[in-house]
Amino acid sequence: MGRPREFDQDKVLDAASRVFWANGYEATSTRALSEATSLTPASIYNAFGDKRGLFLSAMEHYLNSTIRNRIARHEALPSASAALTGFFTESMDRALSDPDQRGCMLVNTALESTPRNPELTEFVAAEMRQIEAFFLRVIKTGQKNGEFPKDLKPEDLAAQFLTLLMGMRVLSRVRPEAKLFNSLIRPAFAQLGLVWPNRTRKISPTL
Amino acid sequence: MGRPREFDQDKVLDAASRVFWANGYEATSTRALSEATSLTPASIYNAFGDKRGLFLSAMEHYLNSTIRNRIARHEALPSASAALTGFFTESMDRALSDPDQRGCMLVNTALESTPRNPELTEFVAAEMRQIEAFFLRVIKTGQKNGEFPKDLKPEDLAAQFLTLLMGMRVLSRVRPEAKLFNSLIRPAFAQLGLVWPNRTRKISPTL
DNA sequence: TTCATTATGGAGCGGTCGTTCTAGAAATGA
DNA sequence: TCATTTCTAGAACGACCGCTCCATAATGAA
């Protein structure tokens, strides 16, 4: 019933999340969003309510197409070692190959959200718990398999890997250096008896 | 020559940095800065040039009174163990006792700065290198002393501690949980043969 | 005293912000 | 066909943005 929408929601959210990701919520104007999505203000407000609504939808879209997707793909791998190595390899390559040094939209949002936006803060916190839970599952599996030593508490290790990931995302905004990242991941992996194969800066595709 | 200033620069920068720290650069209006500092716009612009100038001065003030000060105090301690333990104890207590969960102004700024502000990005990067250098000095001293084992590369350890600190600062905005922080610091300290005394949430003074 | 210089208070500048409004277009159901 | 509903284009709203201007006040130098 009624006139159908002319835009592709996925493409719109893709464009919107790119802008929010690069500039943050506050520094992104609704005009910039209009231009990026090729949507008029009326269409945006009709479809998403307001700027915050579009941001939340764009954030969901971002999480699904990056972090959640990455977790699902690597958790499906046969070994815990491969899952962990693959996850960090991909994370590091992405961080180093982004010419805009946008880091991670989740981390960017974490530092832009304040206790005055408790729902947003809780949303970010919950997503970080999901990442931590992924690490916990992988580590427990690896310990059960015999891939990883069993003397270390998996909860501690999961928290460590989460923080390593968060710290890397901060550093990738200001110091996207392969050498730095290698010296972070190598000792963390060594705890689990894993050898981290040093990686070098990856040139981004020109699109 | 000319009329003297009526305000105390230190108090003004203290007030300004509080507002920037809590809300970020973009979300802080010059009106809010006027109110917080009790200065008219004319006085602010006369003294600091523009909003960015005030921000940079406030940032310097913040760094001097927090991170740089903390580094200097702990590096003066007789043992490397005490320096490292004291530094992280204070960092963790500060993070957990802040009712506004402002995290670290340096980290907040790191994620708000873009490659379009290369000077700001470089400023943040340089400050982070200073923190890393502090860790490196302490670790090298500890290894020379015999306080820390010598089999681990001090450069790797310094990078690790920097990332741990950055990651903690991200998490402190959204998940300021003492238990989480203890499980992060404990294993990192264990590498150096240090025992981390678990800490609990510290209630902030009511001022 | 006078003058040059700098600081302050407060009004207000042009511009941009997030958002809404109105007119009309494109679909469905009767 | 026509009423109803939803979506789109583009102008425009009031609010707020960063910042400047102007008159006046407070200092040191001559």
Side-chain angles (χ1 to χ4, degrees), chain A residues 1-4 28-31 41-42 45 50-51:
Chain A
M1 190 74 162
R3 176 173 170 179
T28 300
S29 72
T30 53
R31 267 114 183 132
Y45 279 80
D50 58 7
K51 184 185 173 184

Side-chain angles (χ1 to χ4, degrees), chain A residues 68-90:
Chain A
R68 291 172 185 167
N69 175 286
R70 190 173 300 153
I71 286 177
R73 276 185 291 107
H74 289 97
E75 199 160 9
L77 292 177
S79 84
S81 313
L84 216 52
T85 305
F87 183 90
F88 272 95
T89 300
E90 194 175 307

Side-chain angles (χ1 to χ4, degrees), chain B residues 1-4 28-31 41-42 45 50-51:
Chain B
M1 189 74 161
R3 177 172 170 179
T28 300
S29 72
T30 53
R31 266 117 183 132
Y45 280 82
D50 58 7
K51 184 186 174 184

Side-chain angles (χ1 to χ4, degrees), chain A residues 11-33:
Chain A
K11 284 182 184 169
V12 163
L13 291 179
D14 217 69
S17 66
R18 261 174 225 278
V19 184
F20 277 129
W21 187 4
N23 303 108
Y25 179 81
E26 288 290 342
T28 300
S29 72
T30 53
R31 267 114 183 132
L33 291 165

